[in-house]
Amino acid sequence: MTSLDKIIASLNDAQREAVTAPGGATLVLAGAGSGKTRVISARVAWHIAQGVPVNQITAVTFTNKAAREMSARIGALVKEVPFVGTFHRFGLTVLRRYRRQLGYHTHPNIIDRGDQLGIVRESLKQLGLQPASWDVGEALSLILEGRTCKAIEGKIRFPRAHGLVPMGVELVEAYEKRLRTLNAVDFDELILVPLRLFHSHPNLFSRVQAGTRYILVDEFQDTNHAQMELVRKLVGEDGTLMAVGDDDQSIYAFRGARVENILRFAESFPDSQTIRLEDNYRSAKPIIELANAIIRSNPDRNDKTLRVRCPFTGSTQLVGASSEEAEADFIAQGVADAIRSGTSPNEVAVLYRANRQANAIELALTQIAIPFRRIGGTSFFERKEVRDALGWLGVLIDGNDDLCFRRAVLAPARGVGEVSLKNLERGATKQKTSLFRTAEKLVDIPGALPNQSISGLKEMISVLKEGRKKLRSAGVSKAFKFVLQQVGYRKYLIHNAETPAEGSRRFHRVMQLADTLDSYVHRDPIEGARAFLDDALLSNANDAVDEDEAMVSLMTLHAAKGLEFDSVFIPGVEEGILPHERSIGNASGLAEECRLMYVGVTRAKKDLTLSYVRKRPQGGPVGEERISRFLRNVGLRPRLVGAPVQEGPTESEKKAMLEIEKLQELLRS
C-alpha cells in the first residue's frame, strides 16, 4: 500500500469525496479544524497518481507559512512537488517569465507598503493636492480599485464614491507612471500582472494557463476581486478547480477580501459541486458547541455545523471583571495556572480585537514574570536597519536599482539630501539611466552637486565597485559584509540607537541576514541574491516569529487565523469592542465581527476563557448589558471577579447627564 493509499484510507467520507472529486469546479467548505491541509495535499498526490503532469498543477494560498507547510506535506507523498505558493509568488513567477513582454527591460524591484504610500504622496503633490488633507492609505485603496478595474475591464473605474474620484484617473496614471520610472512593482501589481497578460498577450496567458489546468486555492474566503477574476481566467472552460475555504472564517474585508466569492461560488462556476467538511479534530466539545451557537445566528452563510471528533475534554467560561486592570490580572493568573498545570507557554495565547487591549495584559504578565511574545508588530524584514541593509545589497548586485540606491545613500547619511537626490533624478531621467550611473558622472562635473554630496557619493561609488570585485571573487555574502563594514554600518546603527547594546543587537540582525544569503546563492550568485530580495519583500510578520523559546503568545484575533493553542483567553467580549463600535449599525460589519469571534473561539483546543469589563471609565452600559450580543443567547453564565461595581451612574455621571438634557432642551426651544 502506497503512502497515498494509506492517507486516503485514513480519511473520513467527506474528505475522501473531496480528494477524489471528478474534474470541473469543486467547492470544499472546510469548517475550523476539519483537516483541510491534509485534504489539499492528498488531492495533489491523487492528481499525480492519476497521471496528471506535475507542471500542470498549481496550489495557491495566502501566507508563506501555509505554503511551506502544504509543500512539506505534499513532498511526503510525491517525488516531485508542483508549484505551491501565495498569489503574490504566483504573480512574481509570471512577471519573471514574461517581464520583457510586459514592458520591463530589467528585473523590476518589489516595493512594500511604506514605499507605496510615499509614491501616493508624490502623486497627490503632482496633481496639486496636499497629502496632509487626505487619508493616504485610503487614497492607495482607491488607486488599487481603479487599477483592478483597468486590469479586468480595460479601463480605470471606481466602484465606490470618494472625494478623490474626480481626479482618480489622473491619480492612478501618476502612480503607475512613478512605478515605471522606478522600474518597480508593488504587491497589488503582482496579482494584476497575469490579468494584464490575459488582455495584452492572450497567447502567453495560455502558456500560464497550461500550468494551472489543475488548480487548488486554499482560504478561498479571503480572495479579493482581482484574485477571484484571476482564478476564473486560469480555470477557463475546461480547467479543474478545487476551492477550499470557510465563509464563517472570512475576516479580512478591510484588506479587500470578499465573502461573496465563496457564498456565490455556484454562480461563478455553474456546474460546480459543494462538499462539506464538518468534523472538527481540534477542539473539545464545549468549545465546538459554543462556536456553533455563536455563528448559527449569522445571516447569509453556507449552512454547516461542526461535529466533535477530538478525544480530550475541555472547558469554556465567561468572566466579568470589575475593571480593565482586574481583567488583565485575572488573565495573567489564568495563564500562570495553565502553565503550572503542565501546559507549555507556547500552547497559551491571549487574543484581542484591538492592539490597545494588550497593554494592560502585558503589564500584568510582566508583574508575575511570565515571558510572552507580542505577535503582529514590526516583522524582521520591516525593521529599518534590515530594510536599509537590503538597500545596500540591492545596489551592490544591480547598479540600476534606483529604489535600493535611494535607501542606501541615506544610511549612513553621507551629505546627500533631497536637493541632491532631485538633481540626480533629473539627470537620470534626462540621460535615461540609473541614479548610480548618473552619480558616477555628476561627481566629476564641478558644481553639479554640493561639495559635501560629491564627497559622500564618491565614497559610496568606490565601496560598491570594490564590493563588486569581492562579489566575483568571494561570493555575495562576503561582498555584502565587506560593503557594510566599509561604510561603517555597525557604527552608524550604534550611534543612532538609544543604547549601544540596542545598536549592537540591530547589527547582529543584519549579520543574520547576510548569513542567510548563502542558502540562496549556491548556483547563480546574482540571481540567488535577487531571489533573496524578492523573498524578503514577500515575507510577512508571522513568518518572522521565533517559536523555539517557550513564551505565551499575545496577538490580535486577525493575526490568530490559522493557529491553534491548548488554552486561549479572549478579553473584551463586549459591545463596542467585539463587535467593534465601527461595525454597530452596519449589517455586513456585524456579520464579520461575529465571524471574528468564531475564529477566536475555534483557536482553542482544550480551554477557553472569554472576559469582559463590567464598567468602563468612559461610561456606557454597566454589568451584563456590556456583554457582546454574540454571547447573549449561548448559555454562558458570567463569573464575576474583582471589586463590586455600581450598576447605575455615579453622582458625577448623573450631573453630566442632567447638563446634557438641559442643553438638548435649550437647542429644541
Side-chain angles (χ1 to χ4, degrees):
M1 183 179 282
T2 66
S3 298
L4 177 60
D5 292 333
K6 291 178 182 177
I7 288 289
I8 290 179
S10 68
L11 300 174
N12 64 39
D13 291 344
Q15 290 173 332
R16 192 175 303 110
E17 182 186 2
V19 168
T20 61
T26 301
L27 173 63
V28 178
L29 291 173
S34 61
K36 68 180 178 67
T37 304
R38 193 178 188 214
V39 167
I40 294 171
S41 305
R43 173 72 167 178
V44 170
W46 186 80
H47 276 320
I48 293 172
Q50 299 301 304
V52 176
V54 173
N55 62 5
Q56 291 185 14
I57 302 172
T58 293
V60 291
T61 185
F62 278 83
T63 68
N64 296 312
K65 183 178 179 181
R68 286 195 297 268
E69 180 185 352
M70 193 184 299
S71 186
R73 291 205 189 187
I74 294 170
L77 299 174
V78 299
K79 291 181 180 178
E80 186 180 356
V81 178
F83 176 90
V84 179
T86 63
F87 273 99
H88 293 100
R89 173 70 60 192
F90 178 80
L92 179 61
T93 302
V94 174
L95 177 60
R96 281 175 173 168
R97 188 176 302 166
Y98 301 113
R99 64 174 173 80
R100 293 190 182 279
Q101 293 89 334
L102 289 163
Y104 298 96
H105 299 297
T106 60
H107 184 88
N109 310 300
I110 302 173
I111 64 171
D112 60 18
R113 183 173 173 80
D115 292 323
Q116 282 183 279
L117 294 174
I119 293 175
V120 173
R121 292 187 185 95
E122 290 181 26
S123 301
L124 288 169
K125 287 180 183 177
Q126 186 179 328
L127 297 177
L129 301 172
Q130 292 297 322
S133 303
W134 301 94
D135 182 328
V136 180
E138 184 64 21
L140 180 59
S141 297
L142 185 75
I143 289 171
L144 173 59
E145 291 174 14
R147 297 174 77 201
T148 300
C149 288
K150 179 182 176 183
I152 294 172
E153 304 170 10
K155 64 178 181 179
I156 299 172
R157 186 176 64 82
F158 304 97
R160 62 189 175 97
H162 189 279
L164 283 170
V165 166
M167 301 188 73
V169 173
E170 292 91 337
L171 183 60
V172 170
E173 290 173 346
Y175 180 87
E176 291 190 331
K177 182 179 179 181
R178 184 59 178 158
L179 283 179
R180 288 286 177 169
T181 301
L182 294 170
N183 190 44
V185 294
D186 58 21
F187 289 151
D188 303 322
E189 179 79 4
L190 294 178
I191 306 298
L192 301 179
V193 157
L195 289 172
R196 295 188 185 206
L197 199 67
F198 173 83
H199 291 290
S200 62
H201 296 82
N203 59 321
L204 297 181
F205 186 83
S206 65
R207 296 184 195 175
V208 175
Q209 206 174 34
T212 61
R213 289 296 73 210
Y214 298 82
I215 184 169
L216 301 93
V217 183
D218 187 21
E219 304 288 4
F220 195 76
Q221 76 281 349
D222 293 336
T223 53
N224 60 25
H225 183 31
Q227 289 161 342
M228 177 63 173
E229 193 61 27
L230 176 57
V231 170
R232 287 163 55 105
K233 293 285 193 295
L234 290 172
V235 172
E237 294 182 1
D238 57 355
T240 293
L241 165 67
M242 173 170 282
V244 182
D246 182 8
D247 51 292
D248 289 336
Q249 298 186 69
S250 179
I251 59 173
Y252 296 120
F254 66 95
R255 294 181 187 170
R258 306 203 318 175
V259 69
E260 55 266 33
N261 288 349
I262 192 168
L263 291 175
R264 314 286 180 260
F265 185 85
E267 297 175 16
S268 299
F269 303 95
D271 297 325
S272 63
Q273 64 170 324
T274 299
I275 299 169
R276 288 171 168 78
L277 305 184
E278 298 174 291
D279 289 339
N280 178 283
Y281 296 92
R282 174 191 298 157
S283 304
K285 183 178 179 181
I287 295 167
I288 294 303
E289 289 178 342
L290 176 61
N292 284 332
I294 288 170
I295 202 64
R296 192 175 293 123
S297 61
N298 223 18
D300 198 17
R301 58 182 288 266
N302 285 303
D303 183 40
K304 56 189 171 300
T305 302
L306 293 180
R307 296 185 291 262
V308 182
R309 290 291 183 265
C310 77
F312 42 75
T313 59
S315 66
T316 58
Q317 64 171 330
L318 176 62
V319 174
S322 58
S323 65
E324 186 176 28
E325 291 74 21
E327 180 185 45
D329 290 341
F330 177 83
I331 289 172
Q333 194 56 54
V335 169
D337 292 344
I339 294 171
R340 273 196 296 269
S341 68
T343 303
S344 166
N346 283 335
E347 286 292 336
V348 182
V350 183
L351 314 178
Y352 35 81
R353 176 63 181 85
N355 276 305
R356 65 177 183 271
Q357 293 174 259
N359 299 333
I361 295 165
E362 284 188 16
L363 181 59
L365 290 172
T366 301
Q367 287 174 338
I368 57 175
I370 292 180
F372 62 88
R373 65 169 70 85
R374 186 167 174 177
I375 298 170
T378 303
S379 78
F380 180 83
F381 290 109
E382 289 174 331
R383 294 181 182 276
K384 185 180 185 303
E385 67 271 15
V386 173
R387 290 178 64 192
D388 289 344
L390 288 174
W392 280 103
L393 175 61
V395 77
L396 171 66
I397 65 172
D398 183 1
N400 294 315
D401 193 328
D402 286 351
L403 280 172
C404 286
F405 178 90
R406 287 177 65 94
R407 189 171 289 282
V409 79
L410 299 174
R414 56 191 63 257
V416 180
E418 284 300 319
V419 173
S420 294
L421 273 176
K422 289 292 183 187
N423 287 339
L424 286 173
E425 286 182 351
R426 278 194 292 269
T429 301
K430 186 177 180 180
Q431 299 296 322
K432 294 184 179 179
T433 186
S434 68
L435 292 176
F436 180 81
R437 306 299 176 204
T438 303
E440 283 185 301
K441 294 177 182 178
L442 292 186
V443 293
D444 292 327
I445 300 175
L449 296 168
N451 290 336
Q452 191 176 7
S453 297
I454 290 174
S455 175
L457 287 170
K458 280 185 174 180
E459 180 197 3
M460 181 181 185
I461 292 165
S462 174
V463 168
L464 286 171
K465 286 182 175 179
E466 286 298 313
R468 285 169 192 156
K469 291 178 184 177
K470 290 272 185 187
L471 192 153
R472 290 188 289 270
S473 62
V476 178
S477 180
K478 288 183 179 178
F480 182 37
K481 290 178 179 178
F482 168 80
V483 167
L484 294 179
Q485 179 187 12
Q486 293 299 304
V487 300
Y489 203 70
R490 182 176 185 274
K491 182 179 178 181
Y492 158 72
L493 292 179
I494 291 174
H495 177 74
N496 286 278
E498 291 185 9
T499 65
E502 174 58 27
S504 294
R505 280 194 292 273
R506 292 176 183 175
F507 186 70
H508 177 67
R509 292 188 195 111
V510 174
M511 289 298 99
Q512 285 181 304
L513 186 78
D515 292 337
T516 307
L517 262 173
D518 291 329
S519 63
Y520 279 77
V521 299
H522 55 284
R523 290 197 185 99
D524 185 321
I526 300 300
E527 286 305 311
R530 281 179 175 148
F532 175 80
L533 285 168
D534 288 340
D535 279 357
L537 285 162
L538 288 176
S539 70
N540 57 51
N542 288 338
D543 288 337
V545 175
D546 179 11
E547 296 179 348
D548 293 334
E549 192 172 353
M551 290 186 177
V552 174
S553 296
L554 274 61
M555 69 187 84
T556 65
L557 289 160
H558 286 100
K561 178 76 167 57
L563 304 178
E564 57 184 52
F565 305 90
D566 283 347
S567 185
V568 169
F569 297 81
I570 305 179
V573 289
E574 54 195 89
E575 291 293 293
I577 298 179
L578 187 60
H580 195 279
E581 59 186 355
R582 287 197 303 265
S583 69
I584 295 174
N586 180 301
S588 62
L590 281 172
E592 178 140 336
E593 292 291 301
C594 183
R595 294 193 293 266
L596 187 58
M597 180 175 284
Y598 173 84
V599 165
V601 167
T602 54
R603 299 312 93 197
K605 293 189 285 186
K606 295 180 180 178
D607 300 302
L608 171 68
T609 298
L610 306 160
S611 60
Y612 67 98
V613 174
R614 282 147 44 215
K615 188 172 185 178
R616 296 272 179 182
Q618 56 268 40
V622 177
E624 292 189 20
E625 291 182 19
R626 292 198 66 85
I627 298 175
S628 171
R629 67 189 67 196
F630 307 136
L631 295 175
R632 289 178 185 168
N633 298 300
V634 297
L636 280 181
R637 293 296 304 163
R639 170 190 168 194
L640 306 184
V641 298
V645 299
Q646 184 174 335
E647 294 293 326
T650 63
E651 288 302 316
S652 60
E653 289 170 341
K654 288 178 182 177
K655 289 180 181 178
M657 291 166 63
L658 184 61
E659 291 299 320
I660 291 172
E661 288 177 4
K662 288 179 179 177
L663 180 59
Q664 289 173 334
E665 185 64 33
L666 183 62
L667 291 172
R668 284 194 293 266
S669 60

